[in-house]
């Protein structure tokens, strides 16, 4: 499936971007609008785009991927880039060719055969995956929110588990669903709250015997002394207060030693019953990056310089899969705002190369604008960094939630423009007025 195929004889340099996440898609849109589909190609293994920070909503069922996903083919037409559907399997750096896997249809019938895609400039933007840190049993028994498919699979799994508990109540009044979330970062915290709120909606619609407060027992385990350890302590405390007000058990300073089919065991010997375990304790880069045969950071990210270049002058990396230098020996954090900034930076750098000009020698500098965490449909917490005062502005409640929602709209605006984003936001508001707030099928 391809939109706007470029001509093999075109003298225009070809920028190929692998990964249509927040950064990769924004870069493709910015370059495509200026240089056209002959020069810019985006490759992704899925036909549609979901903003990764909203995957916890997909997992809880409060965001429907079939309604909210943006088709790459439509985006390619609007933003004037080429799109190729398929997984990247390998790379031939000597020939400057990517090997793209086949696309299968119903009955595993091959719809599109394997292909080779040439490039002049390659940008790796393939995101990240869960890091199990070698914890015994974690990879086998825990689920993750690495991508849309994993989030959707978790949604269906927890819906089925809630239904089983509801039916079991007839013979076993003590039946419970025990969910353990490992990792007290933004993903774990947001998912815990979203699931608690979603369970109330699900029980009201279809589970007459299911008590969402009592029958869905959520435990959040964090190895650091506090949840949201990377954020200011005030934010951590506000988030923990919110979790505890929703009867979500929070265990900090609690490192996981092993995961089994029905238990999570910590290094201090405690055991937590887990009908389901979700792992959100850290990230590492996808194994695909090893095929580049370029220097990698210890967590598998591609090492890049201050201009996001690898030692291969025609290969760049951005977003979660890139180990980009920041300050005091630290790396740029894996956040959506970093991917957004890097897309803007690379659009200028690669735009110059597409015009046959030398890119400016200005390095990419990450600017931390603060962090916002969603704590449900009517609450949030976070801080905005003050450029003038050098101090952060603490936000909480509905204002923080509205600011959090605005980040998603800003991402859409970078891709679709102001008018289309406004139309999309209005359409989604109207749809939510006539549909269940939680996807039940």
């Amino acid at each position: 499936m391809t939109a706007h195929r470029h001509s093999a004889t075109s003298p225009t340099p070809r920028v190929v971007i692998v990964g249509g996440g927040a950064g990769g898609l924004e870069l493709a849109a910015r370059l495509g609008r200026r240089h056209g589909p002959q020069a810019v190609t985006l490759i992704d293994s899925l036909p549609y785009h979901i903003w990764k920070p909203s995957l916890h909503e997909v997992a809880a069922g409060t965001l429907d991927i079939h309604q909210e996903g943006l088709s790459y083919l439509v985006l390619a037409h609007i933003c004037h880039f080429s799109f190729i559907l398929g997984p990247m399997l390998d790379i031939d750096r000597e020939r400057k060719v990517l090997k793209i896997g086949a696309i299968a249809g119903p009955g595993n019938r091959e719809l599109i055969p394997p292909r080779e895609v040439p490039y002049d400039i390659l940008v790796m933007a393939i995101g990240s995956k869960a890091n199990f840190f070698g914890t015994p049993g974690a990879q086998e028994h825990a689920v993750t929110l690495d991508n849309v498919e994993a989030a959707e699979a978790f949604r269906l799994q927890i819906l089925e588990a809630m239904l089983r508990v509801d039916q079991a109540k007839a013979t076993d009044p003590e039946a419970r669903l025990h969910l353990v979330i490992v990792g007290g970062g933004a993903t774990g915290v947001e998912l815990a709250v979203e699931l608690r709120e979603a369970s109330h909606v699900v029980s009201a619609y279809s589970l007459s015997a299911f008590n969402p407060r009592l029958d869905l027992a959520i435990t959040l385990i964090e190895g650091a002394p506090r949840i949201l350890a990377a954020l200011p302590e005030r934010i951590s405390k506000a988030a923990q207060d919110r979790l505890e007000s929703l009867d979500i058990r929070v265990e900090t300073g609690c490192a996981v030693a092993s995961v089994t089919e029905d238990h999570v065991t910590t290094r201090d010997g405690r055991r937590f019953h887990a009908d389901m375990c979700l792992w959100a304790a850290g990230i590492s880069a996808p194994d695909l990056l090893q095929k580049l045969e370029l220097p990698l950071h210890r967590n598998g990210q591609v090492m890049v310089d201050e201009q996001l270049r690898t030692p291969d002058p025609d290969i760049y990396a951005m977003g979660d899969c890139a180990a980009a230098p920041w300050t005091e020996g630290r790396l740029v954090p894996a956040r959506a705002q970093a991917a957004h900034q890097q897309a803007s930076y690379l659009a200028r750098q690669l735009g110059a190369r597409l015009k046959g000009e030398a890119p400016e020698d200005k390095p990419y500098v990450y600017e931390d604008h603060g962090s916002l965490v969603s704590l449900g449909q009517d609450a949030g917490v976070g801080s905005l960094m003050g450029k003038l005062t050098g101090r952060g502005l603490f936000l909480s409640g509905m204002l923080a939630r509205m600011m959090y929602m605005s980040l998603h709209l800003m991402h859409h605006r970078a891709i679709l423009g102001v008018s289309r984003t406004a139309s999309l936001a209005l359409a989604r508001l109207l749809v939510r007025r006539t549909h269940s707030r939680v996807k039940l099928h």
Side-chain angles (χ1 to χ4, degrees), residues 413-430:
R413 185 186 66 181
I415 302 164
L416 300 172
V418 175
S419 61
R420 284 194 175 96
T421 298
S423 299
L424 181 64
L426 177 60
R428 288 176 173 174
L429 177 63
L430 295 175

Side-chain angles (χ1 to χ4, degrees), residues 213-420:
R213 282 265 183 172
L214 299 177
D215 298 333
L216 175 59
I218 303 175
T219 301
L220 183 70
I221 297 178
E222 168 57 42
R226 57 185 176 89
I227 61 173
L228 302 175
L231 304 182
E233 188 171 352
R234 186 179 180 184
I235 295 177
S236 297
K237 184 180 185 307
Q240 179 151 344
D241 290 344
R242 170 67 170 165
L243 292 173
E244 292 175 347
S245 74
L246 295 173
D247 294 328
I248 296 170
R249 181 179 178 183
V250 179
E251 297 284 347
T252 55
C254 193
V256 173
S258 66
V259 180
T260 66
E261 187 176 358
D262 56 4
H263 280 88
V264 173
T265 304
T266 61
R267 291 179 185 171
D268 58 8
R270 284 182 287 171
R271 281 164 54 91
F272 298 90
H273 181 59
D275 299 303
M276 297 175 61
C277 175
L278 184 131
W279 193 273
I283 63 170
S284 62
D287 297 336
L288 176 62
L289 295 176
Q290 297 175 10
K291 300 192 178 207
L292 296 176
E293 297 182 351
L294 292 169
L296 302 179
H297 189 258
R298 62 177 177 271
N299 65 358
Q301 294 171 302
V302 179
M303 301 290 292
V304 296
D305 64 13
E306 293 180 342
Q307 295 183 321
L308 304 181
R309 300 172 303 192
T310 71
D312 185 323
D314 293 323
I315 298 181
Y316 295 74
M318 64 180 296
D320 292 3
C321 73
W326 188 19
T327 59
E328 300 175 358
R330 293 184 294 168
L331 299 177
V332 174
R335 296 181 183 174
Q337 62 175 301
H340 170 75
Q341 293 174 24
Q342 290 171 348
S344 299
Y345 174 82
L346 283 179
R348 296 190 299 270
Q349 296 294 99
L350 302 184
R353 292 189 61 173
L354 286 173
K355 291 188 292 186
E357 303 171 357
E360 59 185 25
D361 199 28
K362 182 179 179 182
Y364 161 70
V365 179
Y366 171 65
E367 296 183 7
D368 188 354
H369 297 307
S371 299
L372 292 166
V373 179
S374 172
L375 297 178
Q377 292 300 304
D378 59 356
V381 67
S383 65
L384 301 180
M385 305 300 291
K387 288 188 176 181
L388 297 178
T389 64
R391 301 176 63 185
L393 173 64
F394 178 79
L395 299 174
S396 64
M398 191 60 186
L399 176 59
R401 172 64 184 176
M402 292 176 64
M403 292 292 292
Y404 180 89
M405 294 171 63
S406 73
L407 298 178
H408 198 169
L409 294 176
M410 289 170 61
H411 169 62
H412 282 162
R413 185 186 66 181
I415 302 164
L416 300 172
V418 175
S419 61
R420 284 194 175 96

Side-chain angles (χ1 to χ4, degrees), residues 10-275:
S10 172
T12 306
R14 292 159 297 193
V15 173
V16 175
I17 304 162
V18 181
L25 178 57
E26 287 190 25
L27 177 59
R30 290 175 184 273
L31 289 176
R33 283 193 288 262
R34 293 186 179 95
H35 304 282
Q38 303 296 324
V40 184
T41 298
L42 176 67
I43 299 174
D44 200 275
S45 59
L46 288 177
Y48 54 85
H49 166 78
I50 289 285
W51 194 50
K52 190 171 183 179
S54 64
L55 283 182
H56 72 280
E57 296 178 82
V58 176
T62 53
L63 186 148
D64 187 345
I65 58 173
H66 300 103
Q67 292 179 359
E68 309 252 356
L70 300 177
S71 166
Y72 285 122
L73 287 172
V74 174
L75 295 174
H77 176 76
I78 291 173
C79 300
H80 309 291
F81 60 83
S82 299
F83 174 66
I84 294 176
L85 175 64
M88 174 181 160
L89 302 180
D90 207 346
I91 180 172
D92 187 332
R93 284 174 51 198
E94 185 175 344
R95 294 172 53 219
K96 301 186 76 170
V97 166
L98 302 178
K99 297 179 180 180
I100 308 301
I103 301 298
N108 210 29
R109 179 172 55 90
E110 186 178 277
L111 295 179
I112 304 176
R115 294 139 289 167
E116 289 192 342
V117 178
Y119 70 88
D120 296 306
I121 302 169
L122 174 63
V123 181
M124 297 299 295
I126 59 175
S128 59
K129 64 174 185 176
N131 190 343
F132 295 106
F133 302 102
T135 305
Q139 189 165 359
E140 294 80 9
H141 301 293
V143 296
T144 69
L145 298 186
D146 285 347
N147 48 49
V148 175
E149 299 103 315
E152 181 70 358
F154 175 84
R155 181 188 70 82
L156 293 172
Q157 186 179 353
I158 199 165
L159 271 179
E160 292 171 0
M162 290 169 65
L163 178 60
R164 286 196 299 270
V165 170
D166 181 70
Q167 293 174 339
K169 285 288 184 178
T171 56
D172 181 9
E174 299 301 316
R176 300 283 186 275
L177 170 58
H178 294 269
L179 170 67
V180 173
I181 299 174
V182 180
T187 298
V189 169
E190 291 176 338
L191 177 63
V193 175
E194 201 77 17
L195 282 174
R196 175 63 78 212
E197 293 192 347
S199 67
H200 283 272
V201 178
V202 173
S203 63
Y205 277 117
S206 57
L207 305 179
S208 58
F210 189 89
N211 184 324
R213 282 265 183 172
L214 299 177
D215 298 333
L216 175 59
I218 303 175
T219 301
L220 183 70
I221 297 178
E222 168 57 42
R226 57 185 176 89
I227 61 173
L228 302 175
L231 304 182
E233 188 171 352
R234 186 179 180 184
I235 295 177
S236 297
K237 184 180 185 307
Q240 179 151 344
D241 290 344
R242 170 67 170 165
L243 292 173
E244 292 175 347
S245 74
L246 295 173
D247 294 328
I248 296 170
R249 181 179 178 183
V250 179
E251 297 284 347
T252 55
C254 193
V256 173
S258 66
V259 180
T260 66
E261 187 176 358
D262 56 4
H263 280 88
V264 173
T265 304
T266 61
R267 291 179 185 171
D268 58 8
R270 284 182 287 171
R271 281 164 54 91
F272 298 90
H273 181 59
D275 299 303

